[in-house]
Amino acid sequence: MPALARVALLPEPHPSSATFAADVLAGLKAEPKTLPAKYFYDHAGSRLFERITELPEYYPTRTELGILEQHAADIARLLPPECAMIEFGSGSCKKASILLRAAPQVAAYLPVDISSEVLHHEADVLRRDFPKLAVVPLEADFCQPFELPPEVTMLPRAGFFPGSTIGNFEPHEACTFLRNAGRILGPGGIFIIGVDLVKDRAILHAAYNDAAGVTAKFNLNILARINRELGGNFHLKCFEHHAFFNRERSRIEMHLASIKRQKVKIRGETIEFRSGETIHTENSYKYTIKSFSALARGSGWTVRASWTDPNKYFAVYALRYQDEPSRSGR
Ligand code: AVJ
């Protein structure tokens, strides 16, 4: 049996979906209360997120797509010949398609996602659009150890991590993620990463407080999911969506605030809320070109190139792993 490359992306991998209940109860018993952002993306949540990406106020998706389209040829030139491209948390393959069209040297594409339904559907679409490409979907939480199939272990590797999903990690977790991604992609491996940039507070605020209320629905859906999957009795009307830019920590914070003193039951346990108490549901870190470059360098990567839009709202990076071992060894 061929040896499988087992790789851990975080020192303490997030538990699997089987422990949704345990994660939820631990988060809601903590002070302050929290819920892991990855649980936003059940079927309803994934659909709401798709709607967010189409909102006029939500600039990241269309800005990143514009950068990828504009610079696809430059990005493609940096990808190794006959390489395997691994996408972390792929969801829709729209962004990967732009790169794959410009980079015919990519021999295999490996989307990694927890949502098997979306994963296999998107893989079929790609197989139709790129008949010569080996499409190998991996159903896994990219924060947990996952196995690379033996047929790609011989190929040079490129990574793709668009959408500023890296902004959901604490900076020290982003560092661990980048180091472990380096282990998967190998010395000389190229990593293409999308990063949302610090900008005017009003623009950030609007992107997470859209007029149509889709982001509020997306945030509240995590309570609806707890009701559906764990038999909780959250009254969604008794919680409100809060999102604001925390400049000191350079992050958008999303919370769900209890509008009154109340009790909620989940799996026989009672959770008490003070009036105004919040559940912290998401951080979305915003970087500058300088701060993200420093994070990448501190995690064993060299910045080969970065591209932004004319407004400098968003950046796409091309990193190279252990490019200059003599210098990065310090
Ligand atoms: C998918 C994590 C990049 O932080 O902008 C969108 C998620 N949350 N609106 C982001 C999100 C609220 C999104 N990421």
Side-chain angles (χ1 to χ4, degrees):
M1 193 178 117
L4 293 166
R6 259 195 101 76
V7 279
L9 285 169
L10 286 174
E12 294 166 52
H14 287 299
S16 74
S17 56
T19 54
F20 178 49
D23 284 353
V24 164
L25 287 168
L28 295 181
K29 286 181 191 169
E31 181 71 50
K33 292 177 169 61
T34 61
L35 286 171
K38 68 173 178 178
Y39 291 127
F40 281 138
Y41 303 93
D42 66 347
H43 186 71
S46 299
R47 292 183 60 137
L48 286 165
F49 180 67
E50 281 301 310
R51 281 176 62 197
I52 288 175
T53 65
E54 288 156 16
L55 293 168
E57 298 97 330
Y58 194 76
Y59 62 84
T61 310
R62 77 178 62 87
T63 307
E64 184 179 40
L65 283 168
I67 297 168
L68 291 172
E69 258 150 23
Q70 177 118 34
H71 301 286
D74 297 329
I75 299 169
R77 256 193 293 282
L78 295 174
L79 304 179
E82 294 302 305
C83 68
M85 187 164 103
I86 299 156
E87 179 168 353
F88 298 87
S90 52
S92 147
C93 291
K94 193 171 173 192
K95 292 168 188 170
S97 298
I98 297 170
L99 293 189
L100 292 168
R101 215 170 295 130
Q105 79 269 35
V106 176
Y109 171 66
L110 291 84
V112 182
D113 206 283
I114 29 171
S115 170
S116 97
E117 202 187 329
V118 178
L119 187 67
H120 292 282
H121 173 76
E122 294 290 316
D124 287 340
V125 172
L126 275 177
R127 285 192 191 101
R128 201 189 56 210
D129 292 351
F130 301 91
K132 286 186 206 144
L133 181 72
V135 180
V136 189
L138 297 179
E139 197 177 321
D141 177 348
F142 67 82
C143 294
Q144 287 190 65
F146 63 88
E147 289 163 3
L148 284 182
E151 62 260 41
V152 304
T153 55
M154 299 304 289
L155 303 178
R157 290 164 210 165
F160 187 39
F161 195 35
S164 200
T165 307
I166 196 156
N168 275 166
F169 291 127
E170 292 300 315
H172 75 277
E173 292 174 333
C175 178
T176 303
F177 170 80
L178 287 171
R179 286 193 175 284
N180 289 319
R183 223 173 291 157
I184 304 170
L185 301 176
I190 296 288
F191 205 1
I192 308 299
I193 306 188
V195 180
D196 197 16
L197 298 177
V198 176
K199 61 188 60 62
D200 188 276
R201 173 190 294 275
I203 293 163
L204 285 168
H205 191 271
Y208 293 86
N209 291 280
D210 61 288
V214 183
T215 309
K217 257 193 150 171
F218 173 75
N219 197 4
L220 285 159
N221 175 62
I222 200 164
L223 303 184
R225 179 176 183 181
I226 293 168
N227 288 350
R228 283 191 293 269
E229 294 182 26
L230 306 177
N233 66 348
F234 277 105
H235 289 286
L236 270 56
K237 295 240 155 54
C238 297
F239 288 85
E240 60 188 30
H241 167 71
H242 286 193
F244 55 88
F245 185 54
N246 178 337
R247 190 171 291 282
E248 289 66 46
R249 309 190 77 166
S250 199
R251 68 191 192 195
I252 287 280
E253 293 185 14
M254 292 214 313
H255 296 258
L256 290 164
S258 176
I259 63 166
K260 61 176 191 187
R261 198 172 149 198
Q262 59 181 316
K263 289 183 180 153
V264 174
K265 273 199 155 179
I266 301 161
R267 292 254 165 123
E269 304 228 31
T270 303
I271 307 292
E272 297 194 29
F273 288 87
R274 301 183 297 275
S275 178
E277 184 176 5
T278 78
I279 309 169
H280 190 170
T281 51
E282 185 174 43
N283 288 320
S284 185
Y285 279 87
K286 308 304 173 189
Y287 290 91
T288 61
I289 292 288
K290 235 179 139 175
S291 69
F292 190 78
S293 300
L295 174 67
R297 277 196 294 273
S299 312
W301 294 83
T302 306
V303 177
R304 285 297 311 273
S306 64
W307 300 271
T308 62
D309 55 294
N311 291 320
K312 297 197 161 52
Y313 281 180
F314 200 95
V316 173
Y317 276 81
L319 308 178
R320 194 178 152 100
Y321 193 55
Q322 289 180 348
D323 215 11
E324 298 153 280
S326 56
R327 264 181 271 172
S328 64
R330 317 203 298 129

